[in-house]
Amino acid sequence: MRTSLEVADIFRSAGPAYRASHAGHLSLHQLKVMSAIEHCRTALMGCHVEACTDCGHWRVAYNSCRNRHCPRCQGAAARAWLAEREADLLPVGYFHVVFTLPAEVADIAFHNKALVYDLLFKAASETMLTIAADPKHLGARIGITAVLHSWGSALTHHPHVHMIVPGDGSRWISSRPAFLLPVKVLGKLFGRLFLTRLMALHASGRLAFYGSLAHLADRRAFLRHLSPARKKNWVVYAKPPFAGPQAVLAYLSRYTHRVAISNSRLLAFDEAGVTMRYKDYRRDGADRQQVMTLATDEFIRRFLLHVLPRGFHRIRHYGLLAGATRKAHLEHARQLLGVAPPPDNEPPDEPTDVRPPCPCCGGHMVVIETFERWRQPRAPPNVSAATGTTAS
C-alpha cells in the first residue's frame, strides 16, 4: 500500500526548481536518479493490465524504475537477494562489525566516492582477515558479507561499512560468545592500511579536490589535513552477536538494500520544508527518536549526497564467502560442524507469481496487455481479456 508521503512526491514538486537553480552542479547520474524516482510507477514508465481469471476484475499496474536509489523499489530487490543468500547461512553465531571513516577522510571521500569507498572496503576486509588469521587472536579463516552505507540518520555524509562475520578454518574454531576480535587492534591496523593507501592515491594524482578542499592538491596541505586522523583512534564498533542465523537474515533484509531514507520516515512536506524522523545516537531510550525539518532544497541536496557512482558494488563478499569457491567453503564448514547441507530446491516448473491476488475474489491475476512508456490504457479491456486473450 502506498504511504501518504514519498521521496518521489518531493522530487516531483520541488525537483524542477532544484535542477534549474543547481544547473551545472549536478552530475548526469544524479539527474538520472532524480528522474527515475520521479517517474517510478507512473504512466511515464509504462504499465500493464492485469485481469482475474475467475471474476474478470482488472487493474492497471505501473512499472517500477528499479533504480537502486529509489525507496519504492528496494523491497523486491532485497527479497530476491535474501532468497539467494539464505542457503549460505551456517548454524553458528554471527558477529556484526562496523568500520567508520573519520571526518577528515569523509571530506575527501565526498569528492572521490568510487576510489575512497573502494578503499574503505579493501582496508576493512583486509583488516578483518589479517587479525582473524593471527593465532594470537582467532587463528582462523573467516567469511565476510560487507555492505556500504554513506549516510547518517539525518542524511549527513557518514561513510561506513557494516560487516556480518562467521568463521572457519581447517577445523572449526569458535570465538568467545560475545567477542570476535579486539576492536582496538582492528582500529589501529585499519587506520594504518587506509591512510597508507590514501596517500598513495594522492601521490599518483588520482584524487580530485574542489571548493574549500582545492588546496589539498598540494601534498604538504594534504598531509596536514590528515594529521588529526593519524593521531586519533579509528572507530571500529563490534555489536553483540546475532541470536542465530534467522536474526542475521532479518538484519540483512533491512540493511542490504536500504537507501539514504525510507518513505516511512517522512512525516510532512509543506512550505516549511520536509519533516522526517531520525535517530540521535547521542541519546538513549525513547529520546533517541527525534523529528527534524529540513528546507526542501537541503533535503534534496542531502539525498543526492548518497547517489553512488555508476556500477559501484555496495554489497561485497570476502574470505570464505568470496567468488567461485564460496560453495565449496560453505560445504566444508558444514562438514566440520556436522550439519546437513541445505536441501536442493529444484526450480519450479513455472516461475513464482508475485502479483497480488484479485481484490474482489482472491483469484489469479494474469497480464493481458502491456503499454510502453508514455502510454496508458484509456478504457477497460475487452471482456475476452478475462480468459487470458489480449484486449484489442
Side-chain angles (χ1 to χ4, degrees), residues 7-23:
V7 172
D9 299 322
I10 300 168
F11 278 13
R12 292 185 194 113
S13 176
Y18 185 87
R19 288 189 286 270
S21 62
H22 294 79

Side-chain angles (χ1 to χ4, degrees), residues 6 13 67 109 116 119 182 199 236 245 280 284 292 317 356:
E6 298 184 349
S13 176
N67 191 288
V116 178
L119 179 53
M199 289 187 286
V236 177
D280 185 346
D284 295 322
M292 70 185 307
H317 306 280

